[in-house]
């Protein structure tokens, strides 16, 4: 394999290939420290042509390729397996913003651009890129596209899929697909970009993308709500949607256990409302009007909700600092739960109307079966997507003779109820290596066979992100 490393160095330069164990370690360990793999080396090309040459070099020697963006995958999708003898292909040196076309409301960026950089470039052009998530300071556009990332703006702007106009991709045979179109309409055969959106690195390397931009809201208001129950939270969602329409862009739900964790483990944080309520909602509203009509509309809606008994308390952000503080509480979930104990993550979705039933059915079963556990819930309620996290303190977790049986049992119970309610076992995080058994159980043979056919057509030797997604 030394000859291959020499070839890779010739392609990307000696600073573009990492082989020392200390340098490689961060690229083979996932962000939650659940998975640790191995790789021959990490290779970091600087251009689409270099990516194509790296792919040709690996494929000629039948060496597997692990595509990697910001390595923030929550399902072990971005790291190789233990014992793997492949190459991690990191897009981190492809970070150019190639073009901003404000008149066309589009931006073309390389896959290694960090999401927050793209958001900033859009604002600099007087526009808005709406995909937003807790990892936005680290995750990359290529990773967002490969996972069809969701996040907090889906209610109004859709998933990443709805915000991609064109792609540039290096295929497993090392050819380059120049599909960077910036059109809203183009019915010329199959729309191939959709194959790569959500493909989790199985079908090729996304090297650049043309993304949709939106008008920049001049006014943003965050509202913190204390609904009396989960059903009341759902009624509030409907009330805000029917009263304020597209001005509502996020409706995030958190339970009391989430708030207790965050408040206990994040110094200086305070709840914007009465801390004793069972549920909390953070809603975000925005428009580009010059007057303060939005604020008075919200205050009117909140008055209706308070007098109708849906709420016990509410706080409307008065300025940008208060708004940022509210979002900080929402985004502290990952850090706070990692400090609080060992969680068993579930990223499920059910129809929005079925969310209360899902929680009512699953929580008591788990609480009865597993003593000493708290359920942390953080949900994009507007999309019916719940991050449902049974959390154990570290001592309880370490005392389990076989923790995997706990994980398996929790998955079995939780995903079965989600499926009965017409839901899914992975709403936005993908499959990676975490949910292979569930793919086998819940996807039909027809669906799996169609996916396998597409995979075989593009990557007949199975070298791209092997043994992930497809059981
Ligand atoms: C704190 C935190 C909050 C999060 N919140 C959300 C959320 O709200 N919504 C959400 O959807 N996700 C969320 N995630 C998960 C994660 O951030 C997203 O899945 C993100 O889109 C991954 O981007 P990445 O660049 O880190 O990709 P990686 O983790 O590096 O890779 C993810 C997958 O994409 C593939 N891939 C990466 N780049 C490419 C490329 N250029 N070409 C082909 N394949 C590629 C990898 O092989 C892997 O299968 C969160 C993660 C964290 C840590």
């Amino acid at each position: 394999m030394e000859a291959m490393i020499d070839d890779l160095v010739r392609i990307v330069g000696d600073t573009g290939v990492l082989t020392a164990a200390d340098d490689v370690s961060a690229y083979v360990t996932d962000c939650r420290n659940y998975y640790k793999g191995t790789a021959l080396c990490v290779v970091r090309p600087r251009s689409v042509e270099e990516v194509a040459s790296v792919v040709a070099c690996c494929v000629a020697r039948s060496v597997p390729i692990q595509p990697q963006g910001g390595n923030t995958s929550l399902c072990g999708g971005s790291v190789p397996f233990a014992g793997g003898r492949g190459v991690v292909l990191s897009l981190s040196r492809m970070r150019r913003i190639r073009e901003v076309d404000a008149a066309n409301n589009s931006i073309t960026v390389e896959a290694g651009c960090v999401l927050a950089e793209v958001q900033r470039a859009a604002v600099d052009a007087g526009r808005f890129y709406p995909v937003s998530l807790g990892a936005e300071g680290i995750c990359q556009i290529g990773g967002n596209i490969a996972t069809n990332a969701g996040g907090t703006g889906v209610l109004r702007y859709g998933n990443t899929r709805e915000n991609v106009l064109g792609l540039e991709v290096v295929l497993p045979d090392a050819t380059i697909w120049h599909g960077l179109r910036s059109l809203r309409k183009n019915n010329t055969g199959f729309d191939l970009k959709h194959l790569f959106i959500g493909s989790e690195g199985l079908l090729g390397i996304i090297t650049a993308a043309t993304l949709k931009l939106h008008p920049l809201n001049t006014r943003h208001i965050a509202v913190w709500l204390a609904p009396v129950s989960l059903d009341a939270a759902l009624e509030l969602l409907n009330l805000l949607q029917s009263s304020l329409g597209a001005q509502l862009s996020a409706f995030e739900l958190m339970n009391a256990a989430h708030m207790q964790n965050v408040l206990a483990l994040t110094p200086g944080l305070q709840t914007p409302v009465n801390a004793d309520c069972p549920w909390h909602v953070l809603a975000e509203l925005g428009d580009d009007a010059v007057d303060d009509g939005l604020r008075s509309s919200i205050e009117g809606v909140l008055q209706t909700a308070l007098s109708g008994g849906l709420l016990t308390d509410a706080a409307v952000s008065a300025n940008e600092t208060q708004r940022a503080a509210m979002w900080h509480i929402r985004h502290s979930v990952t850090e706070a739960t990692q400090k609080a104990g060992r969680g068993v993550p579930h990223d499920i979705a059910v129809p929005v109307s079925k969310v209360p039933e899902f929680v009512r059915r699953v929580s008591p079963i788990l609480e009865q079966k597993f003593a000493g556990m708290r359920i942390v819930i953080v949900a994009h309620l507007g999309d019916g997507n719940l991050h449902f996290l049974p959390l154990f303190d570290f001592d309880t977790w370490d005392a389990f003779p076989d923790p995997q049986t706990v994980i398996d049992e929790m998955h079995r119970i939780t995903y079965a109820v989600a499926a009965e309610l017409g839901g899914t076992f992975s709403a936005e995080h993908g499959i990676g290596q975490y949910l292979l058994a569930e793919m086998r159980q819940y996807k039909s043979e027809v669906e799996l066979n169609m996916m396998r056919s597409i995979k075989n057509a593009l990557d007949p030797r199975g070298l791209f992100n092997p043994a992930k997604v497809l059981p």
Side-chain angles (χ1 to χ4, degrees):
M1 282 300 157
E2 264 172 38
M4 185 175 114
I5 303 282
D6 290 345
D7 284 350
L8 291 174
V9 168
R10 262 190 291 280
I11 297 166
V12 300
D14 51 6
T15 56
V17 180
L18 310 176
T19 51
D22 280 356
D23 296 337
V24 171
S25 173
Y27 295 84
V28 295
T29 311
D30 80 306
C31 67
R32 282 200 284 217
N33 234 346
Y34 288 1
Y35 298 100
K36 184 148 185 73
T38 48
L40 273 180
C41 66
V42 177
V43 59
R44 301 183 301 149
R46 292 159 295 194
S47 66
V48 60
E49 292 78 17
E50 286 188 3
V51 173
S53 301
V54 168
V55 167
C57 175
C58 293
V59 171
R61 293 170 167 90
S62 294
V63 168
I65 297 172
Q66 172 67 61
Q68 193 178 89
N71 194 15
T72 64
S73 167
L74 296 177
C75 57
S78 50
V79 291
F81 280 98
R85 299 279 297 156
V87 159
V88 176
L89 195 159
S90 162
L91 279 296
S92 54
R93 293 209 297 180
M94 289 189 62
R95 290 176 74 154
R96 265 189 328 126
I97 301 215
R98 291 195 192 160
E99 188 191 10
V100 183
D101 185 348
N104 188 51
N105 283 310
S106 62
I107 185 169
T108 299
V109 303
E110 291 186 343
C113 283
V114 169
L115 172 56
E117 289 168 3
V118 174
Q119 294 166 341
R120 274 195 294 275
V123 171
D124 290 347
R127 297 291 185 273
F128 178 58
Y129 182 63
V131 176
S132 175
L133 41 127
E136 66 196 21
I138 307 172
C139 66
Q140 300 175 3
I141 290 299
N144 294 166
I145 294 169
T147 57
N148 185 26
T152 54
V154 175
L155 189 59
R156 177 164 175 188
Y157 299 100
N159 293 294
T160 297
R161 184 181 300 282
E162 281 81 46
N163 291 288
V164 175
L165 294 171
L167 289 181
E168 178 187 85
V169 180
V170 174
L171 301 172
D173 66 0
T175 54
I176 302 172
W177 174 44
H178 295 283
L180 284 178
R181 302 189 181 95
S182 54
L183 303 171
R184 262 75 180 173
K185 289 187 168 180
N186 179 17
N187 282 348
T188 51
F190 300 161
D191 195 345
L192 295 170
K193 64 178 180 284
H194 288 297
L195 271 185
F196 299 94
I197 302 172
S199 61
E200 297 191 46
L202 267 74
L203 302 180
I205 309 285
I206 298 159
T207 50
T210 300
L211 306 168
K212 254 187 220 172
L213 298 180
H214 298 261
L216 185 60
N217 287 327
T218 47
R219 256 163 226 288
H220 299 275
I221 298 178
V223 186
W224 198 279
L225 307 167
V228 294
S229 65
L230 189 46
D231 292 289
L234 203 56
E235 277 190 59
L236 273 169
L237 170 65
N238 285 325
L239 182 65
L240 285 173
Q241 277 181 314
S242 55
S243 317
L244 300 166
Q247 290 170 322
L248 178 68
S249 60
F251 196 88
E252 301 286 299
L253 176 87
M254 290 146 277
N255 70 349
H258 166 69
M259 286 305 289
Q260 281 152 14
N261 265 344
V262 171
L263 293 178
L265 298 165
T266 322
L269 274 191
Q270 288 176 342
T271 41
V273 296
N274 164 19
D276 287 335
C277 50
W279 296 95
H280 295 255
V281 166
L282 170 58
E284 168 91 2
L285 299 115
D287 71 11
D288 52 8
V290 280
D291 61 21
D292 216 0
L294 181 59
R295 185 171 295 277
S296 44
S297 309
I298 294 166
E299 283 166 358
V301 176
L302 294 183
Q303 227 12 281
T304 311
L306 278 165
S307 52
L310 295 177
L311 287 175
T312 53
D313 201 0
V316 180
S317 67
N319 52 43
E320 205 37 45
T321 311
Q322 286 184 3
R323 176 174 164 260
M326 290 184 185
W327 276 103
H328 183 53
I329 297 173
R330 163 64 184 86
H331 285 314
S332 298
V333 62
T334 310
E335 215 184 318
T337 47
Q338 270 173 355
K339 283 185 198 163
R342 175 60 160 86
V344 181
H346 301 85
D347 164 41
I348 67 99
V350 293
V352 177
S353 54
K354 301 276 202 286
V355 169
E357 184 180 347
F358 171 83
V359 174
R360 267 196 294 274
R361 281 179 58 182
V362 177
S363 306
I365 306 176
L366 296 185
E367 277 156 358
Q368 204 189 8
K369 270 188 172 280
F370 301 97
M373 176 211 64
R374 285 165 289 159
I375 295 175
V376 172
I377 297 176
V378 174
H380 308 297
L381 185 61
D383 319 326
N385 175 194
L386 271 76
H387 301 310
F388 187 86
L389 188 89
L391 186 70
F392 296 90
D393 63 45
F394 290 111
D395 289 342
T396 312
W397 183 260
D398 291 341
F400 284 122
D402 181 4
Q404 190 58 45
T405 58
V406 177
I407 297 172
D408 292 345
E409 180 68 349
M410 286 195 163
H411 283 191
R412 194 185 59 70
I413 294 163
T414 308
Y415 298 141
V417 176
E420 275 173 40
L421 296 174
T424 174
F425 57 93
S426 180
E428 58 176 12
H429 294 163
I431 305 301
Q433 50 183 305
Y434 186 55
L435 294 170
L436 284 169
E438 285 70 21
M439 279 297 269
R440 200 175 294 115
Q441 183 177 354
Y442 289 106
K443 289 298 226 191
S444 70
E445 267 312 294
V446 174
E447 282 172 300
L448 288 174
N449 283 337
M450 279 196 280
M451 289 190 217
R452 287 183 189 120
S453 300
I454 293 167
K455 170 77 172 164
N456 287 337
L458 289 174
D459 179 22
R461 293 159 77 183
L463 293 175
F464 277 65
N465 210 359
K468 309 268 176 63
V469 183
L470 289 174

